[in-house]
Amino acid sequence: DVKVTQSLRYLVKRTGEKVFLECVQDMDHENMFWYRQDPGLGLRLIYFSYDVKMKEKGDIPEGYSVSREKKERFSLILESASTNQTSMYLCASSPTGMENEKLFFGSGTQLSVL
Amino acid sequence: QQQVKQSPQSLIVQKGGISIINCAYENTAFDYFPWYQQFPGKGPALLIAIRPDVSEKKEGRFTISFNKSAKQFSLHIMDSQPGDSATYFCAATTGANNLFFGTGTRLTVIP
């Protein structure tokens, strides 16, 4: 089974602090994604990466950056957290080719910014 | 602007009943329509998906009905069970990099 691991289930930070969320996948997928999930808004794409060191902005990239130094690892960075970034953050991966539309999600990190 | 509109926001169904969740889209370039199921504390997981060249796809108790002319698709859960209680998201895409999700439907199946 594909496994996408987000090691932090809950995280509490203060306004202005730097936040680093890490995601690791074990299926050698080329594509990786960061979404945020908010009640009533569904899932919104923050950034995605289709290769090592490559990244593309999603629908809501403001206030976020990403890093992909290794194929299996995709990190989301909040340089200066704000209260409106309190949310559930979901990482996902998918292969290239015919199956590229099938996303595999991690269990998420619930971030609270106080 | 929401690319995929989903309704209802919440749904309560008796055990054994049929659960129906509806989605609508505007972009005729969408060519893949998946449904994801999310249990509390877990990430969404792909449940079933359809492409617009067919009007219906069935996998066990789960069926997607697709109406290309109306730009609508729906998920039907037959013989709903308490274990089906979860949040369901419809989505649409022209490729993996632009998967647009609906706002989700929280389904509760009561015994």
Side-chain angles (χ1 to χ4, degrees), chain B residues 32-43:
Chain B
Y32 181 73
F33 301 87
W35 285 88
Y36 282 79
Q37 179 188 53
Q38 183 180 30
F39 293 106
K42 301 291 186 183

Side-chain angles (χ1 to χ4, degrees), chain A residues 12-70:
Chain A
V12 180
K13 289 288 188 179
R14 295 199 177 277
T15 301
E17 289 186 325
K18 186 172 185 176
V19 180
F20 188 85
L21 302 181
E22 192 169 68
C23 172
V24 180
Q25 52 97 1
D26 66 358
M27 282 301 291
D28 202 35
H29 284 172
E30 288 76 12
N31 303 315
M32 295 191 75
F33 308 82
W34 276 106
Y35 286 86
R36 64 177 281 176
Q37 180 178 3
D38 300 288
L41 296 177
L43 281 72
R44 294 179 292 166
L45 180 63
I46 304 171
Y47 267 96
F48 65 91
S49 169
Y50 52 88
D51 201 353
V52 175
K53 297 191 185 294
M54 305 301 289
K55 61 183 180 183
E56 294 285 345
K57 293 180 180 179
D59 299 321
I60 51 165
E62 297 80 17
Y64 304 95
S65 62
V66 291
S67 172
R68 193 168 181 197
E69 296 295 321
K70 293 185 178 182

